Amino acid sequence: MILSLPAPAKINLGLRILGKRADGYHELESVFHSLELKDLLYAESIDDGLQLEMHDQTGLGMKVVRGEDNLVLRAGRIFCAAHEPAGGMRFYLDKRIPAGAGLGGGSSDAAAALLLANELHGAPLDANKLAELALHIGSDVPFFLSAGTQLARGRGEVLAPMEHVQGLHFLLIFPPVACSTGAVYKNHKPNLIADLPSSSIRSGEGDYPLGSALAGELGNDLEASAMDLYPQLALIRRRVATMGFPRVCMSGSGSTLFLTFNAQESARIAAKTLEPLSTDGVQLLLTRSAGEASNRRIPEAVSEIPGDQQA
Ligand code: C5P
């Protein structure tokens, strides 16, 4: 049996750092919002061992981690340690989400791998156990077990669904810089936060104005730290602002910048306006809030893995 599952990217519609914890992580409050941009992961049972093949379609020349450190293989190992299945698994990853971009691509792949591994073995682990394993892989991984739009607290694993934020259009702006999550968090200093509203993010129906106001008003506390560490990112952010989009936001720990729109046409016009940035190595991508198919976290049986066709 071959199973497949989409692994959607996410953006942070706002991210606030509430403080540093005793365990070294930061306590945060953020709205995680999954996107139509996605990787596709396939899995099948094999006699022995864990294998991963990857087809890199990002086209951005960004380095996706290969080998043992890839989060899909880490998820496979963690699943096997918890369940001790008789055989092995082979994964095939159709990779479209750029790495080091603050879009959660690796974390989403890892969550998809856990869900696929569990399904391949007759669902021996319940949702709580999967969430525990997911957090072991990374702070963002539990979110991707259910995806959609969620208010995240704690390290990012204390989650509450916010179904009413949907149907948004995004222009993703990829600077030619990959950010290190650990370095950006480490460089965060409360006094680097500039011009952000003091109220913390609230949950509940009706608390959010939709569209650009949402991301623009919430801000991202990691932005100042990332701009400080990566001057080229700061330069590109300034250029986007001076080209007519001062409310440009950064996702997660960077490097992706994004603009939010209610209408697809407005996003297209913005993409046209920002085209000259390509001379600085910036790439643009139009996407939207993930639809039902990407957010459905139930693996589907398929007849073949596309990589096998191409071989
Ligand atoms: O959890 P994950 O491995 O994705 O995090 C990478 C790094 O980002 C951590 O080692 C930590 O330095 C930092 N981090 C943090 N607070 C969070 C999430 C991540 O300090 N809530």
Side-chain angles (χ1 to χ4, degrees):
M1 179 170 53
I2 304 170
L3 295 176
S4 89
L5 193 64
K10 61 92 181 135
I11 49 167
N12 299 81
L13 295 173
L15 192 157
R16 302 194 71 87
I17 303 293
L18 306 181
K20 187 144 188 219
R21 303 164 23 144
D23 62 7
Y25 285 90
H26 290 77
E27 190 73 14
L28 60 80
E29 205 170 32
S30 182
V31 177
F32 287 11
H33 184 69
S34 58
L35 301 177
E36 209 44 65
L37 171 67
K38 55 181 172 283
D39 294 341
L40 252 184
L41 187 66
Y42 299 80
E44 66 178 339
S45 293
I46 55 173
D47 288 343
D48 196 25
L50 289 172
Q51 296 175 11
L52 170 65
E53 280 170 55
M54 199 164 9
H55 185 205
D56 186 353
Q57 305 202 62
T58 58
L60 293 169
M62 282 177 172
K63 266 210 156 65
V64 180
V65 176
R66 290 180 183 269
E68 294 300 299
D69 288 337
N70 184 285
L71 292 188
V72 169
L73 288 181
R74 274 187 60 194
R77 285 198 299 275
I78 281 179
F79 175 84
C80 291
H83 174 61
E84 297 184 14
M89 280 175 285
R90 172 180 171 237
F91 294 99
Y92 177 86
L93 178 60
D94 211 337
K95 187 78 199 154
R96 291 153 198 267
I97 307 170
L103 296 173
S107 299
S108 188
D109 298 340
L114 282 179
L115 292 167
L116 285 167
N118 200 39
E119 192 71 17
L120 272 180
H121 295 90
L125 308 183
D126 64 17
N128 285 339
K129 185 70 186 171
L130 287 174
E132 182 194 317
L133 299 186
L135 184 60
H136 211 69
I137 303 169
S139 305
D140 289 354
V141 183
F143 163 74
F144 289 106
L145 292 174
S146 42
T149 304
Q150 302 195 49
L151 178 67
R153 292 200 172 100
R155 272 173 61 189
E157 86 285 20
V158 182
L159 298 159
M162 300 174 60
E163 295 303 331
H164 59 293
V165 184
Q166 51 189 288
L168 300 175
H169 296 266
F170 301 96
L171 176 61
L172 303 184
I173 302 160
F174 301 123
V177 181
C179 291
S180 153
T181 302
V184 171
Y185 271 101
K186 197 160 170 226
N187 188 46
H188 167 74
K189 301 166 200 80
N191 62 4
L192 273 177
I193 300 170
D195 294 334
L196 290 176
S198 58
S199 66
S200 84
I201 297 168
R202 295 157 298 156
S203 65
E205 195 76 34
D207 276 344
Y208 291 89
L210 286 186
S212 56
L214 181 68
E217 280 176 16
L218 295 178
N220 181 342
D221 285 356
L222 291 177
E223 205 170 297
S225 166
M227 303 292 156
D228 182 47
L229 278 180
Y230 304 98
Q232 200 182 358
L233 187 58
L235 194 78
I236 289 163
R237 195 204 180 288
R238 268 201 301 279
R239 283 201 66 195
V240 173
T242 55
M243 287 166 92
F245 303 98
R247 303 184 89 158
V248 61
C249 296
M250 188 182 84
S251 183
S253 53
S255 60
T256 301
L257 304 173
F258 67 94
L259 295 165
T260 311
F261 301 92
N262 284 317
Q264 190 173 32
E265 191 48 29
S266 314
R268 281 212 192 101
I269 292 167
K272 198 99 199 105
T273 311
L274 294 180
E275 249 172 29
L277 290 177
S278 65
T279 51
D280 293 328
V282 172
Q283 305 213 36
L284 304 172
L285 185 83
L286 288 165
T287 187
R288 54 186 298 166
S289 305
E292 219 230 308
S294 298
N295 284 333
R296 205 181 317 115
R297 309 315 288 145
I298 302 165
E300 270 179 30
V302 292
S303 56
E304 60 190 357
I305 292 176
D308 291 343
Q309 275 173 323
Q310 288 158 16

